[in-house]
Amino acid sequence: MAWTPPCGGRVSVAEDSRPLVIHVMYRFDVGGLENGVVNLINRMPAAAYRHAILALTEVTDFRRRIARDDVEFISVNKPPGHLWKLYPQLYRLFRRLKPAIVHSRNLAALEVTVPAWAAGVPVRIHGEHGRDVGDLDGSNKTYQWLRRLYNPFVTHFIALSRDLQRYLLDTVGIPPRKVSQFYNGVDAARFHPATELASISDCPFQRPEHWLVGTVGRMQTVKDQTFLARAFIRTLELEPELRKKLRLVMVGDGPLRLESQRILDAAGVAGLAWLPGERHDVPDVLRGLDCFVLPSLAEGISNTILEAMASGLPVIATRVGGNPELVVEGETGQLVPAGDVDAMAQALIAAAVNPGWALSAGFAGRSEVERRFSMEAMVAAYQGLYDRLLFGPAR
């Protein structure tokens, strides 16, 4: 039956016939994984499913990105270590809420499938969204063993890239019938090319006087922004003329922010870089760049690459994880080896001295997003899987 929200407020669980999906993650905060969950919940038809967010540690103000008013947020304040001490609490939670689907994401949340199974949750889905800094190439035997250990409690796995799909199938040994591969979608209306040349609000650099390369994201080890800082310094050493025009923008907060700033300070180029911390106007920030860079050590399917492509930017990224599935080398951007400062510097020089190519690559990237990475396709894929696992192929 169709669901209609009651006038002026929420509906109680007992009165609501829509199946409940509980999305489980380690922490609900700013990040690509979490942003994907927000987009999925906001875009999925409200009549199809109810949703709840379960954070094993904490739910932050990022919850405000959820546009629906019928989403419950739960945190269990997990201490360091394994989750088994919280199994009774999670079991009682699942018995009380009676979810139809528990959808965990990444290894830190995989354990939740056990209490979900014990509580009789019909469908337990686990998503692999990217690699951890402790397992950049998927060779960690303990992590492989853990996925095999919890496999019997998982109804179905979702891999966000073909790279992660191969890992689950070939390395971990999950049966093909239990694995689907879905790409993230990007909000191509929110992230769109600038209609005219614009500068970023509060940024000390102005276009077209300056040509801005930049990155956006949490500044943590796996994202390796210090590598980009070193590559920027090397770029100016190899091509001193670029000091007049080339500028670096690094938006985000985290442990690598101060370290990146120290590297730039020590090289005497701090005045040519801007590290403002976290911003809440990312679409406008991207439209104020001339080139986007992702220097990560590992990735699943990068939301920020997709957002940059949707914004009409050429992308320079490391050749890791799902990045080669997004960036068409030479057409929408360039790929370089992770940690190779000279290769990154050469790519930055090539883009900066050939702005015509950069504009063309950005246009091609926008076309790729419209063709392959629509939000509608992503939502349809997830909802189709939910329906099939819960109701059978006929649904």
Side-chain angles (χ1 to χ4, degrees):
M1 60 182 288
W3 175 81
T4 304
C7 181
R10 299 172 182 267
V11 65
S12 72
V13 173
E15 297 170 342
D16 199 328
S17 62
R18 296 171 301 159
L20 172 64
V21 182
I22 298 183
H23 303 270
V24 187
M25 60 214 75
Y26 183 73
R27 188 170 186 258
F28 193 60
D29 197 4
V30 177
L33 182 159
E34 296 82 359
N35 193 57
V37 175
V38 167
N39 287 332
L40 180 63
I41 292 174
N42 285 344
R43 294 301 189 99
M44 189 173 289
Y49 290 93
R50 290 181 294 127
H51 300 272
I53 300 289
L54 171 59
L56 298 181
T57 52
E58 65 174 329
V59 175
T60 72
D61 287 344
F62 189 69
R63 62 186 292 171
R64 295 173 182 166
R65 287 285 311 279
I66 298 285
R68 291 171 54 167
D69 65 358
D70 62 342
V71 176
E72 183 174 357
F73 297 89
I74 307 158
S75 56
V76 294
N77 302 309
K78 174 186 175 294
H82 291 292
L83 188 65
W84 62 268
K85 291 181 181 179
L86 294 177
Y87 279 8
Q89 179 182 347
L90 291 168
Y91 172 84
R92 292 190 296 270
L93 176 70
F94 294 140
R95 293 289 289 180
R96 176 173 63 85
L97 295 179
K98 296 181 172 57
I101 298 171
V102 166
H103 187 161
S104 58
R105 288 166 168 87
N106 279 351
L107 185 60
L110 178 56
E111 281 184 89
V112 82
T113 56
V114 176
W117 167 82
V121 177
V123 176
R124 288 91 52 200
I125 297 173
H126 181 71
E128 292 286 344
H129 286 242
R131 299 202 187 280
D132 185 80
V133 69
D135 191 25
L136 295 176
D137 60 357
S139 63
N140 188 304
K141 298 296 184 182
T142 300
Y143 291 174
Q144 295 170 22
W145 177 82
L146 284 171
R147 289 176 170 90
R148 293 188 195 107
L149 177 67
Y150 291 108
N151 172 40
F153 303 99
V154 179
T155 309
H156 202 83
F157 289 84
I158 299 174
L160 259 67
S161 67
R162 291 195 296 269
D163 172 64
L164 290 170
Q165 182 184 37
R166 288 190 296 269
Y167 170 74
L168 289 174
L169 295 174
D170 301 337
T171 305
V172 179
I174 306 298
R177 61 180 173 78
K178 289 185 65 172
V179 180
S180 296
Q181 190 265 311
F182 300 155
Y183 284 123
N184 280 341
V186 62
D187 188 341
R190 183 169 180 248
F191 293 92
H192 60 81
T195 54
E196 59 184 26
L197 202 64
S199 297
I200 304 169
S201 173
D202 300 323
C203 180
F205 311 132
Q206 301 297 312
R207 302 163 74 204
E209 178 185 353
H210 300 120
W211 202 81
L212 275 60
V213 298
T215 192
V216 176
R218 284 185 290 196
M219 301 190 75
Q220 56 189 24
T221 303
V222 73
K223 299 300 182 181
D224 205 13
Q225 286 93 347
T226 53
F227 162 47
L228 176 56
R230 293 194 302 272
F232 179 72
I233 294 165
R234 183 60 175 154
T235 298
L236 300 178
E237 291 173 350
L238 294 173
E239 200 71 35
E241 278 296 306
L242 287 178
R243 280 180 170 265
K244 301 174 183 176
K245 193 172 183 72
L246 186 64
R247 298 294 183 267
L248 175 65
V249 173
M250 302 174 76
V251 172
D253 210 350
L256 294 193
R257 183 183 172 198
L258 288 178
E259 187 177 346
S260 298
Q261 188 69 65
R262 281 196 293 268
I263 290 170
L264 295 164
D265 289 342
V269 299
L272 308 183
W274 184 54
L275 285 72
E278 185 178 338
R279 298 271 297 211
H280 299 286
D281 58 344
V282 172
D284 291 331
V285 168
L286 290 176
R287 283 189 282 273
L289 298 177
D290 295 287
C291 180
F292 181 80
V293 183
L294 191 73
S296 303
L297 295 171
E299 283 290 340
I301 288 296
S302 167
N303 281 302
T304 51
I305 284 183
L306 291 176
E307 290 164 358
M309 291 170 62
S311 302
L313 293 177
V315 174
I316 300 173
T318 46
R319 191 180 287 106
V320 298
N323 290 354
E325 299 172 40
L326 304 183
V327 179
V328 182
E329 198 158 10
E331 294 183 23
T332 67
Q334 295 292 340
L335 295 167
V336 301
D340 190 329
V341 170
D342 280 343
M344 177 63 83
Q346 292 293 348
L348 291 173
I349 291 169
V353 302
N354 191 355
W357 171 84
L359 286 171
S360 175
F363 180 81
R366 171 70 187 191
S367 298
E368 277 288 288
V369 163
E370 293 173 344
R371 184 174 68 87
R372 298 175 56 206
F373 304 107
S374 73
M375 192 70 72
E376 293 75 16
M378 180 194 77
V379 172
Y382 278 95
Q383 187 175 342
L385 180 65
Y386 289 174
D387 288 351
R388 176 170 64 82
L389 295 177
L390 197 56
F391 303 109
R395 174 66 174 261

